[in-house]
Each structure stands twice: as structure tokens, then as C-alpha cells.
């Protein structure tokens, strides 16, 4: 990959990292600020209240997916990415200054809710905009590798959040963290988003979008780019995105955002140990993404997706059961890492798989809206469902729920077509993909693409 491709990937990933730092610190610091916005009571009930507001953010993601997906298809990927990071900066700042229950009663919770709604709008568009941008910005034979940096950046954002939590846990008293220390990561997130806003204003648009921006050679009339009407012409692909996302998003949020709480609230590990387990496991997880993405460029996307679904279907119950009995760092770390290795088959390539299904004129919306709907129904509610099962005294029911969602996605993976060799410029048109021209004096940067 050339220098220009790396520059596009870096700028897209940097913004994604800040977006997801802000998104995940809400989950990782919830145990500290849950009591600040709600009256005294059962600790699990407080977590359910904050988890409920966390889930509400997901229900705004379809709105953000529609709004920012439309912007991405009509105004460009750059415009959508700049707008998402602006919304995220505003939401992080709101949480940082939100008044507590003792100061404003439920007014603080209302501010928290508004901030989460803004985050939902932002992330609803960010996923699709970055997935589309990273996929389009790479050469055909490197799409899996390049798009894997979406989850690298997402995971690095969470690692930074957890790393900051570890530092604060070791430099501040528990009382100070519960009182005001939890505001620090949101202040940092707002400042980081401001920096990325500057970077994204100067980023380059993708060549695929620029070549097809004026008219509709991709099969989507210019007047209908980014519209629901254009998306409805690709209903099968839209439903496919929802179905293939279902198992992956439940598993991902179970073993990332919910894992620290699970190890602390269910396995009985100290908060500091639970945080360290997640931190170390996520570092390895982030490093695996490009390797798996590159592998998909060689063997195809479906083998990795099928491997993930098989592993999640049959290993979730034993892994979660053993995690609940992990009494120290190493057993918890080993089991958490095993789970993250399994879901790498989904996380490393799901962005490019979805982008490869749609033509350019509706690609951002086609990825954004169905994915956001799936996340609202399954990803955003995963933590709340887990806590509901725990509160009901049947926590193991959640393990079977995660396995069942993976089983549904497995059926989809077994029946879907391979997308690795699809030409992004001709997908959805019914036209054969043109053979790539070899580079002068050397090897072509694109693999031959068979006619379809």
C-alpha cells in the first residue's frame, strides 16, 4: 500500500479512536459515576439505570445512521466523518460538566441522557462513514487489511480509556474517583475530538467516491444518492447486514464493554484486577485485527465469519461459566483472551464485508442504517439484558442468549456469497468488473477481479 493510502487510513482511524474512547469510557467508568446521578439504593439497580441510558444511546444510532449516512453518500465521506466527531466532542463535554443528583436531582441524569443521545447520533454515522472510507481508500487486494483498522482504532480507544482508568485508580482514592475523578476522561475525550476535527477537515476524499460523485454510473441516480428509496432497491443486502451483525455485536459488547463489570460484579474480582484483565486482553485483541484482515484478503471473508460464529455458538456458555469462577488475574485473562480471539473472525472484517455489498451512491447509508438497527436491538441492549438476567437470579440465561444470537448469524454466513473479489465501482450494477491495469514497471496494486 502506498503512502497516500496509509495517510487516509491513519486519519480515518485516529478519529474513530477518539469517537470510541468517548463511547467506551461511559461504560468503563459507569461503576464510579452510577451513584452520582441516581439516589442511594442497590448497586446493581444503579448499574441498570446507567446501562439503560447507555442502551438509549444505541437507539439513536439508527437516526444517526440515516442522517449521517445520507450526508456521507450525498456530500462525501469526509463531510460525514467531520460531523460525527463534532457531535462526539459536544456529548463528551456535556457529560464532563453534568450536575450530580445531590445538586440538581434528576436534572443531572437528564443531561447525561442528552449527551448519550448525541453520542448515539454520532456513532451511528461514524461506524458506516469510517467503514466506507477505510474500505474505499484501500487497494482491492488490501481491503480486508485496511478496514481491520476500524476495530483496531475502536479497541485502542477502549484501551486508552481503560489505561486511563488504571492510572486514576492508582493515583486517586476511591472516594475521589466516585466524587469527581470520573469526569477526567470525558474532558480528555472532548479535547481529543477537537484535535481530530482539525485533522478531518484536511483529510482526502476517497477516489471511488470522487469518481462517481457527479452522476450515477454505479446504478444509483444522482438525485437518489443516500436516500431510503435507493436503499430499498437493495433490501436483501440491508437485511443481510442486520443478520450478519446480530451475533457479532452481542459477542463484541459482551467481551469488551460489559466484561469489566462482569468480572467485578459477578466473578467477584476487585475493580482494579477486572480493569487490568480487560486492558491486557484488548491489547492482544487489537494486534490480531490486521493479521486476520490480511488473512481474509487471501482466503476470503466467509471462512473467518464462519469460524467466529461456530466458536461463539459452542464456546460462549463454557467460557462465561468459567469466567464467573475465575478467582484471579491469569484465569480471567486467559478466558477473556480466548473469547476475543474467537470474535476476531467477525470484528476484523465486518466493516469491509458490509461496504462490499452496496454500490457507491448508497454505500454509507446501506452500511449505517441496517447496522445501527442491529446494534440498537442487540449490541446496545447486551449489557442491560445481562444485568436483567443477573437480577432475576438466572445469569446463565444470558450466556445462552449470546450463543443463540451467534447461531443465527452462523446460518447467514453459511448461505451468503463471498465478497472479497467484488469491484466497489461496479457492485450493484450488474456489469462485469473491469480488469485492473498493471502498474508501470511492476506489479499491479490490485488483484484481478473476476467478472460477475
Amino acid at each position: 500500500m502506498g503512502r497516500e493510502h496509509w495517510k487516509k487510513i491513519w486519519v480515518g482511524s485516529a478519529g474513530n479512536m477518539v469517537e470510541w474512547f468517548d463511547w467506551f469510557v461511559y461504560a468503563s467508568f459507569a461503576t464510579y459515576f452510577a451513584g452520582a446521578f441516581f439516589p442511594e439504593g442497590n448497586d446493581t439497580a444503579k448499574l441498570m439505570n446507567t446501562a439503560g441510558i447507555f442502551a438509549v444511546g444505541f437507539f439513536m444510532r439508527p437516526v444517526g445512521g440515516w442522517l449521517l449516512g445520507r450526508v456521507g453518500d450525498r456530500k462525501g465521506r469526509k463531510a460525514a466523518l467531520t460531523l460525527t466527531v463534532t457531535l462526539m466532542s459536544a456529548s463528551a463535554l456535556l457529560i464532563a460538566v453534568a450536575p450530580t443528583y445531590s445538586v440538581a436531582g434528576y436534572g443531572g441524569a437528564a443531561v447525561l441522557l442528552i449527551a448519550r443521545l448525541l453520542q448515539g447520533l454520532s456513532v451511528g454515522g461514524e461506524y458506516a462513514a469510517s467503514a466506507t472510507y477505510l474500505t474505499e481508500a484501500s487497494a482491492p487486494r488490501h481491503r480486508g487489511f485496511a478496514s481491520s483498522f476500524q476495530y483496531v482504532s475502536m479497541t485502542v480507544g477502549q484501551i486508552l480509556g481503560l489505561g486511563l482508568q488504571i492510572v486514576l485508580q492508582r493515583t486517586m482514592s476511591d472516594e475521589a474517583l466516585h466524587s469527581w475523578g470520573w469526569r477526567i476522561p470525558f474532558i480528555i475525550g472532548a479535547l481529543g475530538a477537537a484535535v481530530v476535527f482539525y485533522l478531518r477537515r484536511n483529510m482526502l476524499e476517497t477516489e471511488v467516491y470522487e469518481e462517481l460523485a457527479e452522476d450515477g454510473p454505479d446504478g444509483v441516480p444522482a438525485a437518489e444518492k443516500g436516500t431510503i428509496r435507493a436503499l430499498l432497491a437493495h433490501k436483501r443486502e440491508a437485511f443481510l447486514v442486520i443478520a450478519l451483525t446480530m451475533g457479532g455485536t452481542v459477542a463484541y459488547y459482551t467481551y469488551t464493554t460489559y466484561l469489566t463489570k462482569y468480572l467485578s460484579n459477578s466473578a467477584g474480582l476487585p475493580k482494579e484486577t477486572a480493569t487490568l484483565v480487560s486492558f491486557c486482553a484488548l491489547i492482544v485483541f487489537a494486534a490480531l485485527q490486521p493479521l486476520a484482515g490480511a488473512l481474509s484478503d487471501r482466503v476470503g471473508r466467509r471462512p473467518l465469519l464462519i469460524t467466529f460464529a461456530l466458536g461463539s455458538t459452542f464456546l460462549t456458555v463454557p467460557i462465561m461459566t468459567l469466567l464467573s469462577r475465575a478467582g484471579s488475574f491469569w484465569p480471567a485473562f486467559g478466558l477473556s483472551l480466548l473469547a476475543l480471539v474467537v470474535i476476531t473472525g467477525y470484528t476484523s472484517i465486518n466493516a469491509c464485508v458490509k461496504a462490499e455489498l452496496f454500490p457507491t451512491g448508497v454505500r454509507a447509508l446501506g452500511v449505517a442504517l441496517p447496522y445501527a438497527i442491529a446494534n440498537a436491538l442487540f449490541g446496545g441492549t447486551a449489557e442491560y439484558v445481562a444485568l436483567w438476567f443477573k437480577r432475576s437470579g438466572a445469569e446463565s440465561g444470558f450466556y445462552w442468549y449470546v450463543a443463540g444470537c451467534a447461531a443465527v448469524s452462523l446460518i447467514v454466513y453459511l448461505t451468503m456469497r463471498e465478497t472479497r473479489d467484488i469491484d466497489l465501482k461496479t457492485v450493484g450494477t450488474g456489469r462485469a468488473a473491469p480488469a485492473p491495469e498493471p502498474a508501470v514497471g511492476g506489479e499491479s496494486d490490485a488483484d484481478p477481479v473476476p467478472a460477475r
Side-chain angles (χ1 to χ4, degrees):
M1 292 174 61
R3 182 178 179 181
E4 204 65 31
H5 286 131
W6 278 111
K7 182 179 179 180
K8 290 178 179 179
I9 290 172
W10 156 244
V11 176
S13 297
N16 205 35
M17 177 184 67
V18 175
E19 289 265 7
W20 288 92
F21 171 86
D22 290 338
W23 182 262
F24 281 121
V25 291
Y26 180 98
S28 60
F29 278 85
T31 54
Y32 291 103
F33 67 73
F37 296 103
F38 301 98
E40 291 298 322
N42 182 273
D43 287 341
T44 299
K46 290 180 184 179
L47 284 176
M48 287 188 71
N49 285 329
T50 53
I53 292 179
F54 183 77
V56 165
F58 277 84
F59 285 99
M60 285 301 291
R61 290 177 70 163
V63 179
W66 166 72
L67 177 64
L68 295 167
R70 181 181 174 87
V71 171
D73 285 327
R74 298 183 73 87
K75 302 298 182 181
R77 319 312 188 200
K78 174 183 174 180
L81 286 169
T82 303
L83 182 55
T84 61
V85 79
T86 303
L87 292 172
M88 184 60 77
S89 179
S91 64
L93 188 59
L94 275 177
I95 297 176
V97 301
T100 63
Y101 181 83
S102 61
V103 173
Y106 284 107
V111 173
L112 189 66
L113 178 61
I114 292 171
R116 286 297 298 172
L117 294 176
L118 287 177
Q119 283 189 336
L121 281 173
S122 175
V123 178
E126 170 66 22
Y127 174 88
S130 61
T132 301
Y133 187 87
L134 290 172
T135 302
E136 291 181 348
S138 59
R141 64 172 180 166
H142 296 304
R143 288 202 300 254
F145 174 77
S147 66
S148 71
F149 281 88
Q150 183 183 47
Y151 269 79
V152 171
S153 57
M154 286 171 61
T155 306
V156 168
Q158 186 175 4
I159 289 171
L160 291 175
L162 288 171
L164 178 60
Q165 186 174 10
I166 291 172
V167 170
L168 294 179
Q169 286 172 339
R170 282 159 173 71
T171 58
M172 298 180 66
S173 66
D174 193 62
E175 181 181 356
L177 274 173
H178 281 84
S179 176
W180 60 271
W182 58 266
R183 298 182 187 272
I184 295 175
F186 297 104
I187 295 173
I188 293 175
L191 293 175
V195 173
V196 174
F197 174 80
Y198 172 77
L199 293 174
R200 284 188 165 177
R201 286 196 65 184
N202 294 280
M203 71 193 301
L204 300 172
E205 187 58 83
T206 68
E207 294 178 6
V208 172
Y209 179 82
E210 286 185 329
E211 289 181 14
L212 300 175
E214 297 302 325
D215 49 28
D218 59 344
V220 181
E224 294 185 8
K225 290 183 183 296
T227 63
I228 297 295
R229 181 176 178 179
L231 180 59
L232 290 176
H234 302 275
K235 291 188 291 290
R236 182 181 181 278
E237 288 77 9
F239 283 114
L240 184 60
V241 170
I242 293 175
L244 69 86
T245 300
M246 178 180 177
T249 191
V250 171
Y252 179 74
Y253 282 100
T254 297
Y255 294 119
T256 55
T257 59
Y258 179 61
L259 180 64
T260 304
K261 296 186 188 68
Y262 180 74
L263 292 175
S264 176
N265 207 24
S266 296
L269 293 179
K271 290 180 181 178
E272 295 78 6
T273 302
T275 303
L276 187 61
V277 167
S278 294
F279 179 79
C280 294
L282 286 172
I283 289 177
V284 181
F285 177 67
L288 289 174
Q289 303 308 299
L291 298 177
L295 179 62
S296 78
D297 287 326
R298 290 182 173 273
V299 304
R301 320 297 189 211
R302 289 179 68 246
L304 272 71
L305 291 172
I306 292 171
T307 300
F308 148 71
L310 284 171
S312 290
T313 299
F314 295 105
L315 293 180
T316 294
V317 174
I319 287 176
M320 294 295 286
T321 301
L322 291 173
L323 270 175
S324 68
R325 302 168 185 168
S328 61
F329 172 85
W330 287 108
F333 172 73
L335 290 165
S336 300
L337 185 58
L338 174 60
L340 290 172
V341 168
V342 169
I343 67 173
T344 293
Y346 167 81
T347 56
S348 60
I349 60 171
N350 80 95
C352 68
V353 170
K354 295 163 189 172
E356 289 166 343
L357 293 173
F358 297 94
T360 303
V362 74
R363 183 169 294 130
L365 180 63
V367 175
L369 187 55
Y371 170 79
I373 290 172
N375 260 268
L377 295 175
F378 303 105
T381 58
E383 182 178 325
Y384 194 86
V385 171
L387 292 170
W388 181 85
F389 272 111
K390 178 177 176 59
R391 194 179 188 184
S392 300
E395 190 167 25
S396 62
F398 177 68
Y399 316 159
W400 290 101
Y401 169 75
V402 176
C405 290
V408 172
S409 289
L410 174 60
I411 297 173
V412 176
Y413 303 152
L414 290 171
T415 56
M416 69 180 288
R417 63 174 174 167
E418 178 58 59
T419 63
R420 179 189 60 174
D421 296 322
I422 288 176
D423 188 322
L424 296 180
K425 297 179 183 179
T426 62
V427 60
T429 65
R431 294 187 285 112
E437 297 181 4
V440 178
E443 182 183 2
S444 169
D445 195 35
D447 288 337
V449 181
R452 303 185 72 84

